[in-house]
Amino acid sequence: MRTAVEVVALAPSRRAHRARFIAVPGPLYRGDPRYVPPLRRDVHRLLDPSANPWHRHGEMALFIAARGRETVGRIAAICDRRYDEIQAERVGFFGFFDCVDDTECAAALLGAAERWARERGAVAMRGPISPSMDDECGCLVAGFDSPPVVQMPYNPPYYAGLLEAGGYRKEQDLLAYEFLSSQDVRPAIARVADAVVASGNFRIRSVDLRRFRQELEIFRTIYNSAWERNWGFIPLDADEIEWRAKTLKQIIDPRFALFVEARRGEGFEPVAFGLAVPDVNEILVGLKGRLTPLAMLRIVRGLRHVKTIRVMLLGVVAEYRKRGLEALLIREIHRRGAQAGIPRAELAYVLEDNIVMNRTIRKAGGRLYKTYRIFGKRLT
């Protein structure tokens, strides 16, 4: 007779508890060449209520599952008061889900997260979201033949089956597209981009890292406007933007961090933003989650030789949509990547219900190559 699964609650405020939670995936993914261990330091910062300003409006509980002396899974249960207020629905979330291929184990973890969320008034559960839509989210359901790029999740193929066995069903797919530098942006999109430039009403400029704080505020204004109607969107305040930027600033290349500015009277004002970052996962895969002085040196040197960039943000304020600015940003990042000798780019993620953006990307030559799924379940 098998030993029963025991679920243990951990507190994100306690470093030892976070360390125990963070350590769970390592043995589960041992031998999987596509798994990229995140830097433990970064996961501590994400989970730590004293470090991450998200926790000012969010609450989280951590759970691990054990069968005897063996740790067999983990999950985080999440509630976000700001989400409840803005979206006018009481939803709990689960994230950081990792589990052996065992429906009993998965059911125990999901059950613990659901009970915790229900106690806080949630009427539905959604995930994986770790812990917000601005972090890693989605369960990989297609595209298992290559490793994930920076800040994208990865999981074995059996995860979707575990969630479906627990009563979860698809709510939204998040799509990832691949562009190859050896293939030009297709003529239809190139013509649109050329027309935008020829109009004289728009111009592109790179982010100025010397005035990074001011640039962040410009980005926040565009972000909170451009993404406002997206599924699951919650606006970011200045503290959250700054906190996230601290990590990204180390890898931002101004060639791939771009504002589009529109003519307004005698001057120009920013109305769109695109950001691609080098795929630091190509370096992290060999570091086993540890950030030592030698690892830092490897990261700095390795960034010059990455083979992939990830287009992680691409947005246009509502007033300027359908005027070709998305095409302009895609073409410009593609052109700059090719000039830099970077063979490929991933554009991700794109909500499946963002019809205009998906159509533009496909017309430009993007190939859908990975799909991530957000699952949901009613709590009765």
Side-chain angles (χ1 to χ4, degrees), residues 22 37-45 288-291:
I22 292 167
L39 291 175
R40 297 173 195 169
R41 179 199 67 175
D42 290 347
V43 187
H44 270 289
R45 288 181 66 242
K288 300 181 180 178
R290 302 187 187 96
L291 191 61

Side-chain angles (χ1 to χ4, degrees), residues 25-103:
L28 301 185
Y29 286 93
R30 188 173 291 127
D32 188 334
R34 287 172 290 276
Y35 175 65
V36 182
L39 291 175
R40 297 173 195 169
R41 179 199 67 175
D42 290 347
V43 187
H44 270 289
R45 288 181 66 242
L46 186 63
L47 297 175
D48 186 355
S50 68
N52 182 354
W54 173 88
H55 292 266
R56 296 175 191 169
H57 55 85
E59 185 181 0
M60 184 189 306
L62 309 179
F63 301 94
I64 60 171
R67 196 187 290 279
R69 293 189 174 185
E70 181 185 8
T71 300
V72 290
R74 70 172 188 177
I75 199 169
I78 300 152
C79 284
D80 189 328
R81 294 181 297 278
R82 183 180 291 174
Y83 179 91
D84 291 345
E85 293 166 4
I86 291 172
Q87 298 291 340
E89 57 177 347
R90 301 296 297 273
V91 176
F93 302 93
F94 71 89
F96 303 95
F97 176 73
D98 287 294
C99 187
V100 295
D101 190 3
D102 184 324
T103 54

Side-chain angles (χ1 to χ4, degrees), residues 125-146:
M125 204 71 174
R126 187 176 294 159
I129 296 173
S130 307
S132 77
M133 291 290 287
D134 296 298
D135 301 292
E136 287 189 11
C137 51
C139 172
L140 182 65
V141 295
F144 294 95
D145 55 344
S146 59

Side-chain angles (χ1 to χ4, degrees), residues 88-251:
E89 57 177 347
R90 301 296 297 273
V91 176
F93 302 93
F94 71 89
F96 303 95
F97 176 73
D98 287 294
C99 187
V100 295
D101 190 3
D102 184 324
T103 54
E104 181 186 356
C105 175
L109 287 167
L110 292 166
E114 290 163 10
R115 286 189 294 273
W116 183 92
R118 192 182 290 111
E119 289 169 1
R120 284 151 183 81
V123 298
M125 204 71 174
R126 187 176 294 159
I129 296 173
S130 307
S132 77
M133 291 290 287
D134 296 298
D135 301 292
E136 287 189 11
C137 51
C139 172
L140 182 65
V141 295
F144 294 95
D145 55 344
S146 59
V149 302
V150 58
Q151 294 190 1
M152 293 296 286
Y154 173 75
N155 55 263
Y158 64 80
Y159 273 32
L162 293 179
L163 297 175
E164 289 167 353
Y168 286 81
R169 298 294 178 263
K170 170 188 167 179
E171 287 211 4
Q172 180 82 230
D173 276 353
L174 317 176
L175 309 179
Y177 292 89
E178 180 184 56
F179 283 87
L180 300 179
S181 296
S182 59
Q183 299 173 349
D184 291 337
V185 169
R186 289 178 180 164
I189 294 299
R191 285 194 295 270
V192 171
D194 287 339
V196 172
V197 173
S199 74
N201 293 321
F202 301 94
R203 68 185 186 188
I204 286 183
R205 71 167 178 87
S206 293
V207 165
D208 186 349
L209 295 179
R210 296 169 299 179
R211 52 190 298 270
F212 194 62
R213 189 178 289 267
Q214 296 96 314
E215 298 284 64
L216 277 181
E217 186 56 30
I218 295 171
F219 163 72
R220 185 172 76 92
T221 301
I222 294 174
Y223 177 82
N224 286 340
S225 171
W227 276 265
E228 182 179 16
R229 297 188 180 278
N230 279 10
W231 182 86
F233 174 77
I234 305 173
L236 292 174
D237 61 29
D239 288 342
E240 287 180 280
I241 287 280
E242 186 171 355
W243 182 85
R244 294 175 183 281
K246 281 182 180 179
T247 299
L248 279 180
K249 187 179 180 182
Q250 302 169 45
I251 62 173

